[in-house]
Amino acid sequence: MKEAKLREIDHRAFLRRLGPILAVYSAAMSPPAEQLPGRHTIMERHASYPRFRAVVAERRGALAPRGAIHGFAYGFHGAAGQWWHDVVRGALAELAGPEHARRWMDDSFEVAELHVHPDHQGRGLGRRLLNTLCEGRTERTVVLSTLDLGPEETPARRLYRSVGMVDLLTGFEFPGGGPPYAVMGATLPLAPYGPGRSADRSPGPA
């Protein structure tokens, strides 16, 4: 089987691939089936946000001429009026003041989704997607949210720490309910991968 290649796609190609992209999301996250139409709508809206960028891990061949998606990641420039941006900015301001929120959020690249199909996890594909997605971005910071399981740190959080991300919020509950999340961030460019990297070696924005 050929290895999946990373491919940057524009918003039009992203929308054409929303079916298989949502299939990867569903396999990775196991959401209730009734939530998927809403997730489809959210992803469509995200594709219209400023400086949208998407990367897919796609394998093409005789059995998959249109491309079989093994993983994907996408993000965009954060701006006032975007729901996630406004909620997180408000929480950071409440936690540590408006200047702290401004430093992290005023010029941010927001990674909205990064998922690898379970059949293809554990091979470094998530790190490749993240690094490719963030490469060359001119924003000062990159920010994202990921599930917070407390002391039992997820593979996703370990990945984000390995490229220099630190916790900005932990145990955070977004409006509308749902599980607690950690909001994490780093200055760009991302730090080179280092298995021993720790939070105190990744300063926040100056």
Side-chain angles (χ1 to χ4, degrees):
M1 180 182 293
K2 292 182 179 180
E3 182 180 358
K5 293 184 178 181
L6 300 194
R7 186 186 309 274
E8 182 173 343
I9 56 176
D10 64 18
H11 70 281
R12 292 178 296 271
F14 176 82
L15 292 175
R16 288 196 299 269
R17 288 168 168 81
L18 257 184
I21 282 173
L22 274 169
V24 172
Y25 171 86
S26 181
M29 297 298 288
S30 301
E34 61 269 19
Q35 290 185 6
L36 290 177
R39 180 56 51 181
H40 187 285
T41 300
I42 289 170
M43 289 185 175
E44 283 185 321
R45 182 168 67 249
H46 285 168
S48 71
Y49 282 0
R51 300 192 62 200
F52 175 85
R53 174 184 279 177
V55 178
V56 294
E58 194 171 44
R59 182 180 63 82
R60 291 186 174 183
L63 298 179
R66 296 185 180 179
I69 294 178
H70 294 181
F72 73 95
Y74 74 84
F76 39 79
H77 184 80
Q82 298 168 1
W83 182 82
W84 189 94
H85 178 93
D86 291 347
V87 169
V88 170
R89 185 187 179 106
L92 290 176
E94 184 176 350
L95 176 70
E99 180 61 20
H100 176 73
R102 185 194 69 78
R103 289 198 307 268
W104 280 106
M105 303 300 290
D106 267 13
D107 186 22
S108 61
F109 177 52
E110 299 183 3
V111 178
E113 303 284 356
L114 191 163
H115 301 287
V116 175
H117 192 284
D119 290 347
H120 304 286
Q121 292 176 4
R123 306 175 189 175
L125 187 52
R127 180 173 292 108
R128 290 173 58 207
L129 284 164
L130 179 63
N131 286 335
T132 301
L133 184 69
C134 293
E135 185 176 8
R137 295 296 301 199
T138 59
E139 288 93 347
R140 182 167 59 165
T141 62
V142 55
V143 290
L144 54 78
S145 55
T146 186
L147 287 173
D148 185 356
L149 301 183
E152 184 185 348
E153 195 157 84
T154 64
R157 289 188 77 183
R158 290 195 294 271
L159 164 61
Y160 301 141
R161 290 194 196 286
S162 76
V163 295
M165 289 191 176
V166 297
D167 291 337
L168 305 179
L169 299 167
T170 56
F172 183 69
E173 296 183 3
F174 284 93
Y181 282 83
V183 175
M184 304 181 72
T187 53
L188 288 173
L190 292 177
Y193 170 57
R197 180 172 300 280
S198 60
D200 62 0
R201 293 163 61 188
S202 178

